[in-house]
Amino acid sequence: MASNLPDSHPDDALLVTDEELEQALCVLAGSDPENCSYSRGYVKRQAVFACNTCTPDATEPAGICLACANKCHDGHDIFELYTKRHFRCDCGNGKFGDFQCQLNPAKDERNDKNRYNHNFSGCYCTCDRPYPDTDGQDDDEMIQCVICEDWFHSKHLGCTVVEPEELQEMVCETCMNKAPFLWTYAAHFAGIQPSSLRNVHGMKDQPALTNLQSKADGTRTQPFLHPQEAGIRSSPRKRNHPETSKVNTTPGECRLKKLQGLERPRLGAVFWPYSWRSELCTCTNCKKAYVAAEVQFLMDQSDTILAYEKRGLDEPFGQHPLMALLSSMDRVQQLEVLYGINELTSSLNEFLEQCVSEGKTVTAEAVHEFFAELRARKKRRTDGGFQ
């Protein structure tokens, strides 16, 4: 979304199209906003949330679907976790005590196949810090590993981070070592070397990313709509897909064995081009290795975030409330709403940045004063003839 719009905000100053809005909402559009996903079982991929109000105990992590976040946990302290694979909604099960799901109260006590990590308690990366960092210790941007689905500060990845338009899927060093055969593929198909081998003595912190930022080429630098997500980015993003070099094998021949011989240091996270999964060997022995390392989903091209987002755009479960609202308005009203969203986002970012720079704690009183000033500013603009 464009920033620093003038008060007069003529039509040509607001460069936000319906297509750009839909792209910004595609993560949520791929999940059902009205019906609890529990009845669908362990969903291949869906937007997942954690409720700190209902399940604050880190020893009993729980995740809820988009519909339950909207209907059952409205007004609660929610962590938005982007998407998770093979996950079943926990809302109202045994982890929630007496709290019942309003959409589907008949649920098992546990979803034993769900996988949880410290993200469900609001902590991320190897540093185990919250996001946003309430102590202001780390405002570096974050990137998600496509295997463990944890989020990492770019400076904690142990490698040089490529520019966003070149970024594809990322696998953290821990996950690379859990599936060590991936290092062989990395030597051939991944181009990012550990920072220590590229004479990089320190990675420059990247600025926090702005909300609702989606490039025309499909590069998603900010997947979420909630303020807590500014600065977090997902590794699978580019839509202009470079081709990887092909390895010719005969039927039944192990592609991994043919690639062995070329090595790269087993250090740091690895960034992969879009089509790298198609290079993985699918012989019987390699398939067994994927299952043993619990990464068999890498053989499935539809497992990627890109595929999920595309499904959300092509066959959304339902129109997002913001899109539904805008579609019911004329062009002038649409501009007013979008201008208001932009002003709120910009002002809130400035307010939070000022608090951080001055070392101030964000209190309830300060927040009330912030919104009072926004209302006063709107009134002055209205009285001045801008409405």
Side-chain angles (χ1 to χ4, degrees):
M1 182 173 290
S3 60
N4 300 320
L5 293 175
D7 285 343
S8 56
H9 53 281
D11 285 17
D12 59 355
L14 192 56
L15 305 177
V16 180
T17 66
D18 290 347
E19 181 180 358
E20 289 171 332
L21 279 173
E22 288 175 357
Q23 287 178 342
L25 298 170
C26 64
V27 171
L28 299 184
S31 296
D32 191 339
E34 300 295 333
N35 302 294
C36 176
S37 65
Y38 179 83
S39 60
R40 296 167 56 204
Y42 292 89
V43 180
K44 189 170 188 176
R45 183 172 293 282
Q46 64 175 314
V48 175
F49 306 77
C51 181
N52 192 45
T53 303
C54 296
T55 55
D57 186 356
T59 63
E60 282 283 6
I64 57 178
C65 67
L66 173 61
C68 288
N70 290 336
K71 306 292 185 179
C72 308
H73 301 267
D74 183 32
H76 292 190
D77 182 13
I78 299 292
F79 299 131
E80 189 170 7
L81 305 179
Y82 196 33
T83 69
K84 299 290 182 184
R85 67 169 59 88
H86 196 63
F87 198 90
R88 195 175 198 183
C89 180
D90 286 320
C91 179
N93 69 10
K95 296 186 175 186
F96 287 77
D98 295 331
F99 182 90
Q100 281 198 334
C101 177
Q102 300 174 26
L103 302 178
N104 189 345
K107 295 182 177 180
D108 294 338
E109 284 291 301
R110 293 285 191 276
N111 292 316
D112 294 330
K113 295 181 180 180
N114 281 354
R115 295 293 184 89
Y116 308 93
N117 59 19
H118 61 168
N119 295 172
F120 289 82
S121 299
C123 294
Y124 307 87
C125 191
T126 54
C127 60
D128 200 38
R129 296 295 303 167
Y131 191 92
D133 197 326
T134 52
D135 294 334
Q137 294 185 20
D138 208 328
D139 59 356
D140 189 20
E141 66 180 350
M142 306 190 79
I143 305 171
Q144 188 181 38
C145 172
V146 298
I147 291 183
C148 66
E149 299 184 305
D150 194 1
W151 295 85
F152 297 85
H153 296 105
S154 58
K155 65 184 179 183
H156 293 157
L157 290 175
C159 69
T160 301
V161 179
V162 295
E163 292 300 316
E165 61 269 17
E166 300 174 10
L167 201 58
Q168 302 297 329
E169 293 193 311
M170 184 273 287
V171 178
C172 70
E173 181 179 348
T174 298
C175 288
M176 289 293 296
N177 289 329
K178 288 181 178 178
F181 47 82
L182 290 180
W183 290 112
T184 299
Y185 291 102
H188 291 265
F189 305 114
I192 304 302
Q193 296 291 323
S195 56
S196 60
L197 298 179
R198 294 170 61 92
N199 296 319
V200 176
H201 301 290
M203 294 172 60
K204 181 179 178 182
D205 288 352
Q206 302 293 326
L209 300 174
T210 55
N211 205 15
L212 287 176
Q213 183 178 349
S214 184
K215 297 185 178 180
D217 66 356
T219 297
R220 181 162 309 286
T221 54
Q222 177 49 29
F224 301 139
L225 300 178
H226 295 294
Q228 77 174 45
E229 303 304 332
I232 292 183
R233 73 184 188 185
S234 166
S235 55
R237 67 191 60 213
K238 190 178 179 185
R239 274 46 168 180
N240 295 329
H241 309 137
E243 292 295 326
T244 57
S245 58
K246 297 297 180 181
V247 177
N248 297 319
T249 56
T250 59
E253 184 181 9
C254 179
R255 183 177 300 178
L256 178 63
K257 288 183 177 179
K258 194 167 184 177
L259 292 173
Q260 289 173 348
L262 180 62
E263 296 291 335
R264 64 174 270 163
R266 300 189 174 193
L267 296 171
V270 175
F271 290 91
W272 303 83
Y274 172 75
S275 57
W276 76 280
R277 297 191 188 203
S278 64
E279 300 293 346
L280 297 177
C281 181
T282 56
C283 74
T284 301
N285 288 335
C286 283
K287 286 181 178 179
K288 291 179 179 179
Y290 302 148
V291 173
E294 299 182 316
V295 295
Q296 59 269 29
F297 50 82
L298 292 179
M299 292 184 289
D300 183 2
Q301 293 291 335
S302 65
D303 169 77
T304 65
I305 298 292
L306 175 62
Y308 168 83
E309 291 181 350
K310 188 177 186 302
R311 288 195 301 271
L313 289 176
D314 294 343
E315 300 177 4
F317 274 101
Q319 191 175 27
H320 190 277
L322 177 59
M323 294 302 299
L325 176 65
L326 290 175
S327 65
S328 67
M329 298 177 175
D330 60 33
R331 183 59 179 169
V332 174
Q333 291 173 322
Q334 290 176 348
L335 291 173
E336 289 292 343
V337 170
L338 294 174
Y339 172 76
I341 293 174
N342 179 80
E343 183 182 35
L344 174 61
T345 301
S346 299
S347 299
L348 183 59
N349 285 337
E350 291 173 3
F351 167 70
L352 295 175
E353 288 172 0
Q354 182 180 356
C355 290
V356 171
S357 64
E358 296 177 359
K360 293 181 178 179
T361 301
V362 180
T363 63
E365 181 181 3
V367 172
H368 287 310
E369 291 178 355
F370 165 76
F371 282 104
E373 172 59 27
L374 275 186
R375 288 192 292 270
R377 193 183 309 169
K378 179 181 178 181
K379 186 177 187 302
R380 290 194 298 270
R381 186 172 67 247
T382 303
D383 293 344
F386 294 117
Q387 184 69 17

